[in-house]
Amino acid sequence: MAILEVNHIEKNFGNTKVLEDVGFSLEEGKALAIIGSSGSGKTTLLRCLNFLERPDSGSISVKGELLFDGSAPWAGKERDLRKKRLHFGMVFQSFHLFPQYTALENVMLAEQMLAREREDFKQNKKEILEEIRQHGVELLTRMGLQERMEHYPHQLSGGQQQRVAIARALALKPDILCFDEPTSALDPELTGEVLKVIRSLAEQKTTMIIVTHEMAFARDVADQVIFMDDGVIVESGDPHQVIDHPREERTKRFLSRVNLS
């Protein structure tokens, strides 16, 4: 059964059509890779899923719950948007860690903010905050950063910062983890450590959407690949079919220009 259903998503910026009739589904525990040239609409699609952008039309459902219906009035209250965003964890290209907080504090922050809305927070503050701290420690240990928890972002390598960002995205236990070119801001020697973490998440059946320019990684790790061009889905299917034996001419032209190894 699909955990995510995206139907007929459209998005314009002024007179520029960025997404046109985009639709797909994603099963729980599967990894979807989205590939395509810069400007093809990949990042805008992720931002629409995470409600950082409002689609102009279409629908988005998670676990059978309709989160967005383009035919209905937009209920854009911040509290409602925050609740919808909790279904998605977002890992950005350039980390976006808070420089004044340690790695552990960055991971704990969102969970702490949500905890303050709990009715029992005042009575059980100490216990709740300790649970959040232990959860943060577990996540950073899972990322191989147990020795870096008290370090500030400027004391970490780019790869370490991105692993902190992944731990932070996992902290709120999202239904779907989204990556927007997670290695594009990294030096080549640091790319491998981040891809290793994402690979391990795939092996643990974490539901993921990965916008990536790493073709070999997409082919080896994803269960499904979508190729986008000019805001439309040109081709989708099994990674080996789409990447090694594309059917569409636009897909073939794109893949002829990239490194597949």
Side-chain angles (χ1 to χ4, degrees), residues 135-151:
H135 188 214
V137 168
E138 289 169 10
L139 287 170
L140 286 172
T141 299
R142 188 174 165 190
M143 296 296 118
L145 294 170
Q146 56 268 36
E147 304 299 327
R148 297 287 188 271
M149 294 187 192
E150 300 305 323
H151 286 58

PDB file of all heavy atoms in Angstrom, residues 135-151:
ATOM      1  N   HIS A 135      17.310  10.409  23.094  1.00  0.00           N
ATOM      2  CA  HIS A 135      16.957  10.155  21.697  1.00  0.00           C
ATOM      3  C   HIS A 135      17.975  10.806  20.758  1.00  0.00           C
ATOM      4  O   HIS A 135      18.417  10.201  19.771  1.00  0.00           O
ATOM      5  CB  HIS A 135      15.548  10.686  21.415  1.00  0.00           C
ATOM      6  CG  HIS A 135      15.030  10.309  20.070  1.00  0.00           C
ATOM      7  ND1 HIS A 135      14.204  11.125  19.322  1.00  0.00           N
ATOM      8  CD2 HIS A 135      15.229   9.194  19.309  1.00  0.00           C
ATOM      9  CE1 HIS A 135      13.910  10.529  18.184  1.00  0.00           C
ATOM     10  NE2 HIS A 135      14.505   9.360  18.141  1.00  0.00           N
ATOM     11  N   GLY A 136      18.381  12.033  21.085  1.00  0.00           N
ATOM     12  CA  GLY A 136      19.391  12.715  20.288  1.00  0.00           C
ATOM     13  C   GLY A 136      20.721  11.989  20.297  1.00  0.00           C
ATOM     14  O   GLY A 136      21.394  11.864  19.264  1.00  0.00           O
ATOM     15  N   VAL A 137      21.098  11.505  21.473  1.00  0.00           N
ATOM     16  CA  VAL A 137      22.356  10.746  21.598  1.00  0.00           C
ATOM     17  C   VAL A 137      22.286   9.484  20.733  1.00  0.00           C
ATOM     18  O   VAL A 137      23.252   9.138  20.029  1.00  0.00           O
ATOM     19  CB  VAL A 137      22.616  10.382  23.074  1.00  0.00           C
ATOM     20  CG1 VAL A 137      23.743   9.355  23.194  1.00  0.00           C
ATOM     21  CG2 VAL A 137      22.968  11.642  23.878  1.00  0.00           C
ATOM     22  N   GLU A 138      21.149   8.788  20.779  1.00  0.00           N
ATOM     23  CA  GLU A 138      20.992   7.563  19.983  1.00  0.00           C
ATOM     24  C   GLU A 138      21.114   7.859  18.488  1.00  0.00           C
ATOM     25  O   GLU A 138      21.767   7.109  17.752  1.00  0.00           O
ATOM     26  CB  GLU A 138      19.627   6.936  20.276  1.00  0.00           C
ATOM     27  CG  GLU A 138      19.512   6.323  21.662  1.00  0.00           C
ATOM     28  CD  GLU A 138      18.078   5.955  22.009  1.00  0.00           C
ATOM     29  OE1 GLU A 138      17.212   5.994  21.095  1.00  0.00           O
ATOM     30  OE2 GLU A 138      17.823   5.644  23.186  1.00  0.00           O
ATOM     31  N   LEU A 139      20.502   8.946  18.039  1.00  0.00           N
ATOM     32  CA  LEU A 139      20.541   9.283  16.615  1.00  0.00           C
ATOM     33  C   LEU A 139      21.948   9.647  16.160  1.00  0.00           C
ATOM     34  O   LEU A 139      22.399   9.216  15.095  1.00  0.00           O
ATOM     35  CB  LEU A 139      19.574  10.434  16.328  1.00  0.00           C
ATOM     36  CG  LEU A 139      18.083  10.077  16.349  1.00  0.00           C
ATOM     37  CD1 LEU A 139      17.234  11.335  16.304  1.00  0.00           C
ATOM     38  CD2 LEU A 139      17.729   9.158  15.179  1.00  0.00           C
ATOM     39  N   LEU A 140      22.647  10.439  16.958  1.00  0.00           N
ATOM     40  CA  LEU A 140      24.009  10.821  16.572  1.00  0.00           C
ATOM     41  C   LEU A 140      24.955   9.622  16.633  1.00  0.00           C
ATOM     42  O   LEU A 140      25.885   9.519  15.822  1.00  0.00           O
ATOM     43  CB  LEU A 140      24.506  11.957  17.468  1.00  0.00           C
ATOM     44  CG  LEU A 140      23.874  13.319  17.157  1.00  0.00           C
ATOM     45  CD1 LEU A 140      24.273  14.359  18.200  1.00  0.00           C
ATOM     46  CD2 LEU A 140      24.278  13.805  15.765  1.00  0.00           C
ATOM     47  N   THR A 141      24.722   8.720  17.557  1.00  0.00           N
ATOM     48  CA  THR A 141      25.517   7.490  17.606  1.00  0.00           C
ATOM     49  C   THR A 141      25.265   6.663  16.354  1.00  0.00           C
ATOM     50  O   THR A 141      26.193   6.103  15.753  1.00  0.00           O
ATOM     51  CB  THR A 141      25.163   6.681  18.861  1.00  0.00           C
ATOM     52  OG1 THR A 141      25.456   7.465  20.022  1.00  0.00           O
ATOM     53  CG2 THR A 141      25.966   5.385  18.923  1.00  0.00           C
ATOM     54  N   ARG A 142      24.007   6.618  15.937  1.00  0.00           N
ATOM     55  CA  ARG A 142      23.633   5.912  14.706  1.00  0.00           C
ATOM     56  C   ARG A 142      24.329   6.517  13.498  1.00  0.00           C
ATOM     57  O   ARG A 142      24.654   5.809  12.533  1.00  0.00           O
ATOM     58  CB  ARG A 142      22.118   6.000  14.555  1.00  0.00           C
ATOM     59  CG  ARG A 142      21.501   5.182  13.462  1.00  0.00           C
ATOM     60  CD  ARG A 142      19.988   5.301  13.586  1.00  0.00           C
ATOM     61  NE  ARG A 142      19.296   4.843  12.407  1.00  0.00           N
ATOM     62  CZ  ARG A 142      17.996   5.016  12.199  1.00  0.00           C
ATOM     63  NH1 ARG A 142      17.265   5.642  13.107  1.00  0.00           N
ATOM     64  NH2 ARG A 142      17.430   4.573  11.096  1.00  0.00           N
ATOM     65  N   MET A 143      24.593   7.810  13.529  1.00  0.00           N
ATOM     66  CA  MET A 143      25.280   8.504  12.445  1.00  0.00           C
ATOM     67  C   MET A 143      26.804   8.413  12.566  1.00  0.00           C
ATOM     68  O   MET A 143      27.524   8.993  11.758  1.00  0.00           O
ATOM     69  CB  MET A 143      24.892   9.991  12.431  1.00  0.00           C
ATOM     70  CG  MET A 143      23.439  10.296  12.149  1.00  0.00           C
ATOM     71  SD  MET A 143      22.889   9.799  10.508  1.00  0.00           S
ATOM     72  CE  MET A 143      21.620   8.599  10.955  1.00  0.00           C
ATOM     73  N   GLY A 144      27.286   7.708  13.596  1.00  0.00           N
ATOM     74  CA  GLY A 144      28.722   7.582  13.798  1.00  0.00           C
ATOM     75  C   GLY A 144      29.367   8.832  14.371  1.00  0.00           C
ATOM     76  O   GLY A 144      30.564   9.073  14.185  1.00  0.00           O
ATOM     77  N   LEU A 145      28.588   9.640  15.110  1.00  0.00           N
ATOM     78  CA  LEU A 145      29.079  10.920  15.631  1.00  0.00           C
ATOM     79  C   LEU A 145      29.082  10.964  17.153  1.00  0.00           C
ATOM     80  O   LEU A 145      28.985  12.029  17.748  1.00  0.00           O
ATOM     81  CB  LEU A 145      28.203  12.066  15.080  1.00  0.00           C
ATOM     82  CG  LEU A 145      28.283  12.295  13.571  1.00  0.00           C
ATOM     83  CD1 LEU A 145      27.200  13.273  13.120  1.00  0.00           C
ATOM     84  CD2 LEU A 145      29.661  12.817  13.178  1.00  0.00           C
ATOM     85  N   GLN A 146      29.233   9.812  17.778  1.00  0.00           N
ATOM     86  CA  GLN A 146      29.207   9.774  19.241  1.00  0.00           C
ATOM     87  C   GLN A 146      30.332  10.580  19.878  1.00  0.00           C
ATOM     88  O   GLN A 146      30.203  11.042  21.015  1.00  0.00           O
ATOM     89  CB  GLN A 146      29.232   8.319  19.750  1.00  0.00           C
ATOM     90  CG  GLN A 146      30.410   7.495  19.260  1.00  0.00           C
ATOM     91  CD  GLN A 146      30.125   6.735  17.983  1.00  0.00           C
ATOM     92  OE1 GLN A 146      29.404   7.232  17.118  1.00  0.00           O
ATOM     93  NE2 GLN A 146      30.691   5.539  17.876  1.00  0.00           N
ATOM     94  N   GLU A 147      31.411  10.792  19.147  1.00  0.00           N
ATOM     95  CA  GLU A 147      32.540  11.570  19.686  1.00  0.00           C
ATOM     96  C   GLU A 147      32.429  13.056  19.326  1.00  0.00           C
ATOM     97  O   GLU A 147      33.303  13.849  19.684  1.00  0.00           O
ATOM     98  CB  GLU A 147      33.863  11.029  19.122  1.00  0.00           C
ATOM     99  CG  GLU A 147      34.094   9.546  19.359  1.00  0.00           C
ATOM    100  CD  GLU A 147      34.139   9.195  20.835  1.00  0.00           C
ATOM    101  OE1 GLU A 147      34.618  10.038  21.630  1.00  0.00           O
ATOM    102  OE2 GLU A 147      33.694   8.074  21.194  1.00  0.00           O
ATOM    103  N   ARG A 148      31.369  13.451  18.616  1.00  0.00           N
ATOM    104  CA  ARG A 148      31.263  14.827  18.136  1.00  0.00           C
ATOM    105  C   ARG A 148      30.001  15.539  18.650  1.00  0.00           C
ATOM    106  O   ARG A 148      29.688  16.620  18.192  1.00  0.00           O
ATOM    107  CB  ARG A 148      31.226  14.836  16.597  1.00  0.00           C
ATOM    108  CG  ARG A 148      32.484  14.289  15.938  1.00  0.00           C
ATOM    109  CD  ARG A 148      33.648  15.269  16.058  1.00  0.00           C
ATOM    110  NE  ARG A 148      34.797  14.860  15.297  1.00  0.00           N
ATOM    111  CZ  ARG A 148      35.764  14.085  15.750  1.00  0.00           C
ATOM    112  NH1 ARG A 148      35.696  13.617  17.004  1.00  0.00           N
ATOM    113  NH2 ARG A 148      36.791  13.757  14.996  1.00  0.00           N
ATOM    114  N   MET A 149      29.336  14.949  19.605  1.00  0.00           N
ATOM    115  CA  MET A 149      28.042  15.485  20.043  1.00  0.00           C
ATOM    116  C   MET A 149      28.117  16.888  20.622  1.00  0.00           C
ATOM    117  O   MET A 149      27.200  17.691  20.448  1.00  0.00           O
ATOM    118  CB  MET A 149      27.404  14.544  21.072  1.00  0.00           C
ATOM    119  CG  MET A 149      27.028  13.196  20.495  1.00  0.00           C
ATOM    120  SD  MET A 149      26.096  12.213  21.670  1.00  0.00           S
ATOM    121  CE  MET A 149      26.148  10.625  20.853  1.00  0.00           C
ATOM    122  N   GLU A 150      29.199  17.196  21.300  1.00  0.00           N
ATOM    123  CA  GLU A 150      29.319  18.503  21.946  1.00  0.00           C
ATOM    124  C   GLU A 150      30.088  19.503  21.089  1.00  0.00           C
ATOM    125  O   GLU A 150      30.396  20.601  21.539  1.00  0.00           O
ATOM    126  CB  GLU A 150      29.999  18.348  23.309  1.00  0.00           C
ATOM    127  CG  GLU A 150      29.248  17.437  24.276  1.00  0.00           C
ATOM    128  CD  GLU A 150      27.795  17.861  24.494  1.00  0.00           C
ATOM    129  OE1 GLU A 150      27.529  19.082  24.526  1.00  0.00           O
ATOM    130  OE2 GLU A 150      26.923  16.989  24.626  1.00  0.00           O
ATOM    131  N   HIS A 151      30.374  19.128  19.858  1.00  0.00           N
ATOM    132  CA  HIS A 151      31.053  20.037  18.938  1.00  0.00           C
ATOM    133  C   HIS A 151      30.042  20.970  18.274  1.00  0.00           C
ATOM    134  O   HIS A 151      28.898  20.592  18.009  1.00  0.00           O
ATOM    135  CB  HIS A 151      31.799  19.259  17.858  1.00  0.00           C
ATOM    136  CG  HIS A 151      33.047  18.590  18.327  1.00  0.00           C
ATOM    137  ND1 HIS A 151      33.069  17.673  19.355  1.00  0.00           N
ATOM    138  CD2 HIS A 151      34.336  18.701  17.908  1.00  0.00           C
ATOM    139  CE1 HIS A 151      34.302  17.239  19.551  1.00  0.00           C
ATOM    140  NE2 HIS A 151      35.091  17.855  18.685  1.00  0.00           N
TER     141      HIS A 151
END
